[in-house]
Amino acid sequence: MIRDEEAEKRSHEQEARRPNILLILNDDMGYSDIGCYGGEVDTPFLNQLAEQGLRFTQFYNTARCSPSRASLLTGLHPHQTGIGVLVDDDGPEGYQGNLNKQCVTIAEVLRQAKYRTYMSGKWHIANNISEVTDTWPLQRGFDRYYGTLAGSGNFYYPSTLTRDNENIEHEALNKDYYYTDAISDEAVRFIKEHVEEYPDTPFFQYVAYTAPHWPLHAKEDDIAKYKDRFNAGWDQLRIERMQRMQEMGILNAGWSLTDRDNSQPAWEDAAHKEWEQRRMEVYAAQIDSMDQGIGRILQTLEETGQLEQTLILFLSDNGGCAEEFEPVQPNKIPKNWGRTSTGADVAFGNRPDVMPGAETTFQSYGTAWANLSNTPFRLYKHWVHEGGIATPFIVHWPEAIQSKGEIRHMACQLTDVMATILDITNAAYPATYNGHAICPPEGKSMKKFFVSDDHAEDRFLFWEHEGNAAVREGNWKLVKNYPGKWELFDMAQDRTEIYNLADQYPERVQQMIVQYDRWATRCGVKPREKILEIIAKRNRRK
């Protein structure tokens, strides 16, 4: 009997020592925007996490909002979860646009391991965003939820704003409401309430910002901080960023800076410079506001005695976004993008006669600034060249990380987050869940890299989005810009993907194609032509 009591006591002590998990994801931010990765944006709290934790230089997302979120939360590749493209129903298995029942989320796994689970922010992995379904946050493992189910919208009056399962858009009809701040404030509230109500229970907190996803909406005080910050223009700033990144040890000094996107003018030839600068100023202010909110979350963790025992992970869901918006008339604007809290019309589109920032505008920062955001890499969100999939990845865990401020260069990807959390929490990944067989996890734990900079064993990493495809083995990366040909790069010598070696190593190309095809078949990746055919048929029926 005494032995049983001692065993039970040890079990409780081990459970009490399990760390909290704080997973922070932001939206459409480039690899080098934040200060600790070389950017011009003021991010003192993210910088602090990096200085007291670790920065990974070769961590990868999956190039787009919904697929990245699905992969991050499940430890699977997006096609295995039902999110092959976005949340539209594109037909075949793996492309339904709903998180399917063959996967489990981190929240579902940790809740079974007696964690409390909370989320604030963007969901964007459910097809139906107006009626409660089994793909909403509370139905996928979260005890509490505050945020938006849709992928984007007005920061001052967001559509699909939801608390738990209830639409609360009316709560945003407040002159001081700003969605980024609300995401942070709700995260703070969840932590405070958790510590008060469940002091002996660890928590999982998922904070999913929409910043700095378009539209360019930011508070004037935050925008004002960046006045003239970007007046040197995208060409000079890309050079300066790369120099800082090399000095930090993030980039190899031997790599070359990619050329400016050939669709864009040199800064000295750019028209409407004041408007162009304003676009980047607002974008920077969106990130700044997020960082301020992260600071409030960190302060709350410290004040409640939780910071030391909390594993914090920060990353972005894809690279900088080069999407542009043509001006359209108010009656042609999509419903959720044309709404304002006052009912005023929206000046929709990238119009140089309208300065972005207010809720009556709807603009993006465009290709040239996205090219700066992704310094020094090629391409953007949607593509699986480095500019589309490389993300900053910060790890902060005072109890376990002794080598503070160090940089890790091993290649990892989203599927590894679930594996890492399972490793750290000793939570069991289920073979079945609610009567459904669950796909085995795809990732590998990164826990050992938190204490050592030893490189990982060579393994294959894979990507596919909208036909854009890639496979990486060790330092070799094979990548395709659909419908173009495969390109081969040596990532140790040329991570900026300038020198295509496919013609020099045809056997390696074929070997890696074989590996990619096997993965694509196993994970349910369908040929892009088939998906386009299904989408075309669907559009004809509308």
Side-chain angles (χ1 to χ4, degrees):
M1 186 69 174
I2 294 175
R3 191 173 302 167
D4 290 343
E5 290 176 356
E6 290 176 349
E8 185 175 346
K9 181 180 179 181
R10 284 196 300 272
S11 176
H12 285 308
E13 288 174 349
Q14 289 172 354
E15 184 169 313
R17 286 199 300 270
R18 289 183 301 167
N20 305 313
I21 309 293
L22 173 59
L23 177 60
I24 305 173
L25 181 72
N26 81 341
D27 201 350
D28 281 17
M29 189 186 76
Y31 182 72
S32 58
D33 280 320
I34 58 178
C36 53
Y37 277 78
E40 301 82 12
V41 185
D42 294 330
T43 53
F45 296 106
L46 286 173
N47 297 352
Q48 174 186 322
L49 291 178
E51 290 164 4
Q52 298 174 0
L54 302 171
R55 281 170 290 172
F56 282 67
T57 65
Q58 296 192 80
F59 193 93
Y60 293 107
N61 51 48
T62 65
R64 193 84 176 275
C65 309
S66 299
S68 283
R69 288 157 205 278
S71 185
L72 175 66
L73 282 175
T74 66
L76 302 176
H77 295 288
H79 316 80
Q80 296 171 293
T81 73
I83 312 289
V85 181
L86 282 174
V87 292
D88 296 315
D89 184 355
D90 293 328
E93 185 74 20
Y95 292 79
Q96 306 96 323
N98 264 330
L99 207 60
N100 63 30
K101 296 178 181 179
Q102 286 70 57
C103 63
V104 285
T105 67
I106 297 171
E108 288 171 322
V109 173
L110 291 185
R111 190 155 69 175
Q112 286 197 330
K114 299 182 181 179
Y115 272 68
R116 291 286 296 177
T117 56
Y118 309 96
M119 177 182 173
S120 60
K122 171 177 167 177
W123 185 238
H124 202 206
I125 44 178
N127 186 276
N128 189 332
I129 57 177
S130 59
E131 299 173 331
V132 179
T133 72
D134 59 10
T135 57
W136 283 30
L138 262 61
Q139 284 64 40
R140 295 310 301 249
F142 288 95
D143 293 311
R144 298 298 312 279
Y145 172 66
Y146 174 92
T148 49
L149 301 165
S152 61
N154 189 329
F155 279 73
Y156 305 96
Y157 184 37
S159 65
T160 72
L161 187 63
T162 302
R163 187 182 300 282
D164 297 332
N165 284 329
E166 180 184 357
N167 184 286
I168 55 164
E169 292 178 10
H170 62 278
E171 290 189 12
L173 293 174
N174 178 321
K175 66 178 182 178
D176 296 323
Y177 187 89
Y178 184 64
Y179 186 38
T180 303
D181 290 345
I183 291 171
S184 303
D185 293 342
E186 289 294 323
V188 165
R189 187 170 70 85
F190 286 149
I191 293 168
K192 289 181 177 178
E193 290 179 355
H194 172 87
V195 172
E196 182 177 333
E197 297 173 16
Y198 305 95
D200 299 322
T201 302
F203 66 80
F204 168 58
Q205 173 93 29
Y206 175 38
V207 182
Y209 290 101
T210 51
H213 194 292
W214 45 256
L216 294 173
H217 285 170
K219 297 174 290 184
E220 281 299 326
D221 287 348
D222 290 336
I223 299 171
K225 290 172 61 176
Y226 294 94
K227 180 66 175 173
D228 298 328
R229 182 78 59 94
F230 303 98
N231 61 2
W234 41 70
D235 294 319
Q236 181 61 30
L237 291 174
R238 288 183 77 227
I239 293 170
E240 293 176 6
R241 270 199 196 187
M242 186 157 186
Q243 290 174 341
R244 287 194 296 270
M245 296 168 81
Q246 290 170 336
E247 291 168 359
M248 289 176 175
I250 291 172
L251 299 181
N252 188 316
W255 297 338
S256 301
L257 178 64
T258 53
D259 292 337
R260 178 194 335 110
D261 189 299
N262 60 18
S263 71
Q264 300 301 301
W267 175 252
E268 63 184 20
D269 299 325
H272 314 295
K273 283 188 172 62
E274 184 178 358
W275 173 71
E276 289 285 10
Q277 289 174 219
R278 172 75 175 197
R279 289 209 285 176
M280 192 62 191
E281 290 163 5
V282 179
Y283 173 86
Q286 290 178 296
I287 298 173
D288 191 307
S289 178
M290 175 195 69
D291 187 75
Q292 294 172 45
I294 291 172
R296 294 196 296 277
I297 295 171
L298 296 179
Q299 181 180 359
T300 302
L301 289 173
E302 189 164 18
E303 290 174 349
T304 56
Q306 301 295 307
L307 184 60
E308 290 292 313
Q309 62 195 53
T310 299
L311 167 64
I312 302 174
L313 306 172
F314 171 85
L315 70 161
S316 179
D317 66 350
N318 46 249
C321 177
E323 295 165 359
E324 299 273 8
F325 288 107
E326 292 296 324
V328 299
Q329 295 300 314
N331 63 341
K332 300 292 185 181
I333 303 172
K335 181 179 179 181
N336 288 340
W337 292 354
R339 54 185 268 157
T340 59
S341 59
T342 62
D345 286 342
V346 172
F348 185 94
N350 293 344
R351 295 171 43 180
D353 62 319
V354 176
M355 290 294 180
E359 72 164 325
T360 52
T361 68
F362 200 107
Q363 300 188 26
S364 65
Y365 76 155
T367 301
W369 290 124
N371 202 185
L372 170 64
S373 286
N374 294 337
T375 301
F377 301 130
R378 288 174 58 188
L379 294 176
Y380 317 94
K381 170 184 177 180
H382 295 265
W383 286 272
V384 295
H385 284 72
E386 296 292 286
I389 59 175
T391 173
F393 188 80
I394 301 171
V395 180
H396 183 273
W397 188 13
E399 281 190 344
I401 295 174
Q402 303 301 316
S403 304
K404 302 183 187 306
E406 289 192 353
I407 293 176
R408 299 288 187 260
H409 298 292
M410 57 284 296
C412 305
Q413 63 181 154
L414 290 178
T415 55
D416 298 334
V417 172
M418 169 73 90
T420 304
I421 291 174
L422 293 175
D423 188 10
I424 288 170
T425 62
N426 293 315
Y429 186 91
T432 62
Y433 187 81
N434 289 341
H436 299 277
I438 302 300
C439 293
E442 294 281 338
K444 292 183 179 294
S445 174
M446 298 180 289
K447 180 182 176 182
K448 62 184 178 182
F449 305 140
F450 297 174
V451 296
S452 170
D453 61 358
D454 289 343
H455 275 59
E457 67 277 12
D458 285 349
R459 61 172 173 140
F460 287 98
L461 304 179
F462 299 96
W463 298 264
E464 191 279 339
H465 184 69
E466 297 179 317
N468 302 315
V471 53
R472 178 165 172 172
E473 181 188 13
N475 288 327
W476 291 103
K477 181 181 176 186
L478 189 71
V479 61
K480 177 170 59 176
N481 178 357
Y482 178 84
K485 295 180 179 180
W486 289 103
E487 301 173 306
L488 180 69
F489 300 101
D490 180 345
M491 304 301 279
Q493 303 300 319
D494 175 34
R495 194 181 168 203
T496 52
E497 299 173 314
I498 294 175
Y499 305 105
N500 180 11
L501 304 176
D503 290 341
Q504 295 181 39
Y505 299 96
E507 291 184 4
R508 172 164 287 281
V509 169
Q510 290 306 312
Q511 291 169 0
M512 294 181 74
I513 289 174
V514 168
Q515 294 296 329
Y516 174 83
D517 288 342
R518 289 175 181 170
W519 169 81
T521 300
R522 180 174 65 79
C523 292
V525 178
K526 301 296 188 292
R528 182 60 179 165
E529 294 80 5
K530 180 176 182 179
I531 303 302
L532 291 174
E533 181 182 333
I534 293 170
I535 293 172
K537 288 181 179 178
R538 181 190 67 199
N539 290 339
R540 286 196 293 269
R541 290 195 299 266
K542 289 183 177 179

